Amino acid sequence: MSDAALAPPFIRAHGRTLWLLAAALVAALVLALGSGAVAIPPATVIATLLGAHDDAQTSLVIWSLRVPRALLGIIAGAGMGIAGAAMQGLMRNPLADPGLVGVSSGAALAAAVVVVFGERAMSTGGWAAAALLPVAAFTGAVLTTALVYAASRRNGRSSVTLMLLSGIAINALALSGIGLLMFMGSDAQIRTFTFWTLGSVAGATWPGVIAAGCAVGLALFALSRKAGPLDALALGEAQAAHLGVAVGPLNRACVVLIALSVGATTALTGSIGFIGLIAPHVARRLVGPGHRQLLPASALAGALLVLLADSAARTWAAPAELPIGVLTALFGAPFFMFLLRRRVGAEGG
Amino acid sequence: MLSAHQLTVSAGKRLLLDRVDLSLRPGELLVLVGPNGAGKTTLLRALSGDIGAALHSVSCNGRPLSGIPAAELATLRAVHSQQQRNDLDFTARQVVELGRFPHNGGRPGSVDRAIARSAMALTGCTELAERICATLSGGEQARVHLARALAQIWHGPTGAHYLLLDEPVAALDIMWQHRALACARERTRSHGTGVLAIVHDLNLAARYADRMVLLADGRIQADGRAFDVLHSTALARAFGIRCRVLDDPLGETPVVVTEPA
């Protein structure tokens, strides 16, 4: 019996693991707020956050620049983390990731359409204009999630091969659509598109952070209520139905909530790849596969990963900034290759 | 009683089940035999409530399945089908505890955990509890899923709950083939469970069945005690074999010796 066949022994302590992850996130947050063009020591960061430090400039840097940015990173990471965990549960397939199967590209394409054709509507200002982009991204994400889900099913089962191949097709289609829009767009619009394909948390603003936070929070809350049925779904749709799970409504709810999470974050940060793949894997190693623990753990792990990646992206090439999506892909793609090899090895072909 | 009344199921133009009448009584072990493609699994799925078009032809304790909410039905009958791979790293214990889902909505309490432990002991899975289910052998996984099905209806209403097993012994070694069917029969006696099992080994079927049903071409060809069904010419016709039925001098069940026709 190999070690890999045994569940990690610390699975039983998973309640505590969630708190440890949360503590790590807080520590990473203090580090992230301190790093950048002006380095601020952790003690000063904490003092400023608590209002005990009255240097106006430090306070300004932290509250209006770094806090929104760090929060957006946390929200985006959490959103991608739960979307990945839910998608893997929905498809009973640990290789599912909203970016890989084209959901992020679909959201970006829909957002790009709005940028090019909705210019007049956007320029009117106000809440409706501000909501246009996220709503478009959400719609694009719903459509692509539903499309991938339908395309990867055969005889009521979800096939890894079909899922990944249809993901390639959908990604290619969405990217060609974005390419077409770039051809039609102005220079300023083209810069916006580049931002979506590379991903960035640099453009954080308080209204954006609050809106995305609400969307991701809602998705996390609603998906957590589906944790039990998602566990049952791991046995297959027929078996879940035998256990009394209403499989159809569960599937539809998951598609919408995954899309809500991906759409809300993609509209603000572009596609930060592979977080939806890596975070649930890290979380599963820490708390096991049960969704009641896995969903919040994936959210925390995703938030932690994006926060660390963004800190690295800001400091490695300072004063310039690496695009965060480039950094996550640099680590995520080899990780995906590793998972794929292991998976193919297990399947024997 | 779990009953199919004039149950007809078709896929496209092909008739899978043709006006089948079958009742599974509480406290009996009914073994369904028949050649490949006879419609055995289709019949089991229809009785499970998996086939939407058949819901009105199947009734459970006198109520048509179409009128029983899925969550309630899950407390009345458990199904063990030839399961699919699960790649999400659930341990054997977690899979068995999922059998208690209809009773706890996915939050197993101490009673659920105790039931899962007992069910695993019955099917010899205690040693496997903390292993990742997907890494177990086919036979071990079959026993884990049998324990899950048992856990689901552990305290089912006496004389009104059912266990449907699609080839429960297909992947098991000879010792576990006996222990699994003995365990199923023990549940019929101790808890009044009605068990329907699809089994291919005629001798094994005869050894444990209270009642045997032979299905071929989507119709019931014979229904009765093992002796009656195994003697029938229908058996030879259904399988396209010749068979001799001997009396086991030490036992009470027939022994079938088969050879190609």
Side-chain angles (χ1 to χ4, degrees), chain A residues 86-105:
Chain A
M87 198 163 213
Q88 291 171 13
L90 175 67
M91 301 202 169
R92 296 177 290 289
N93 175 352
L95 293 179
D97 167 65
L100 278 177
V101 301
V103 177
S104 304
S105 313

Side-chain angles (χ1 to χ4, degrees), chain B residues 231-260:
Chain B
H231 263 305
S232 67
T233 49
L235 184 71
R237 203 175 331 118
F239 285 98
I241 50 165
R242 282 190 294 160
C243 56
R244 283 174 288 144
V245 181
L246 314 174
D247 282 319
D248 177 356
L250 298 177
E252 294 162 4
T253 50
V255 175
V256 192
V257 180
T258 53
E259 43 200 299

Side-chain angles (χ1 to χ4, degrees), chain A residues 120-175:
Chain A
R120 192 180 303 161
M122 302 261 290
S123 64
T124 58
W127 277 102
L132 196 56
L133 207 57
V135 167
F138 168 66
T139 313
V142 169
L143 291 177
T144 26
T145 313
L147 187 63
V148 174
Y149 178 70
S152 61
R153 281 162 63 84
R154 204 169 41 185
N155 304 330
R157 296 183 55 172
S158 150
S159 142
V160 196
T161 319
L162 276 177
M163 179 196 76
L164 292 176
L165 291 179
S166 49
I168 291 176
I170 290 170
N171 260 321
L173 199 64
L175 287 180

Side-chain angles (χ1 to χ4, degrees), chain B residues 122-248:
Chain B
L122 273 185
T123 63
C125 302
T126 307
E127 309 289 306
L128 311 174
E130 299 306 321
R131 302 250 320 259
I132 306 259
C133 197
T135 65
L136 300 176
S137 78
E140 290 170 329
Q141 287 193 39
R143 275 152 51 199
V144 169
H145 284 275
L146 184 60
R148 177 183 55 74
L150 286 171
Q152 187 180 338
I153 46 156
W154 195 260
H155 289 311
T158 309
H161 65 278
Y162 309 90
L163 184 59
L164 306 173
L165 309 170
D166 192 355
E167 296 198 31
V169 300
L172 302 183
D173 67 44
I174 186 71
M175 192 268 279
W176 277 108
Q177 291 184 9
H178 281 285
R179 301 244 328 236
L181 288 177
C183 168
R185 192 169 62 176
E186 197 277 323
R187 300 296 296 179
T188 66
R189 305 297 188 261
S190 61
H191 290 68
T193 312
V195 180
L196 181 143
I198 297 175
V199 175
H200 274 294
D201 182 332
L202 297 175
N203 286 316
L204 194 69
R207 175 84 174 69
Y208 291 97
D210 294 316
R211 182 176 154 210
M212 265 174 105
V213 169
L214 170 65
L215 193 72
D217 296 326
R219 291 200 192 92
I220 289 178
Q221 312 287 348
D223 181 348
R225 292 183 313 126
F227 257 112
D228 306 328
V229 173
L230 293 182
H231 263 305
S232 67
T233 49
L235 184 71
R237 203 175 331 118
F239 285 98
I241 50 165
R242 282 190 294 160
C243 56
R244 283 174 288 144
V245 181
L246 314 174
D247 282 319
D248 177 356

Side-chain angles (χ1 to χ4, degrees), chain A residues 37-49:
Chain A
V38 184
I40 304 171
T44 317
V45 170
I46 294 169
T48 308
L49 288 181

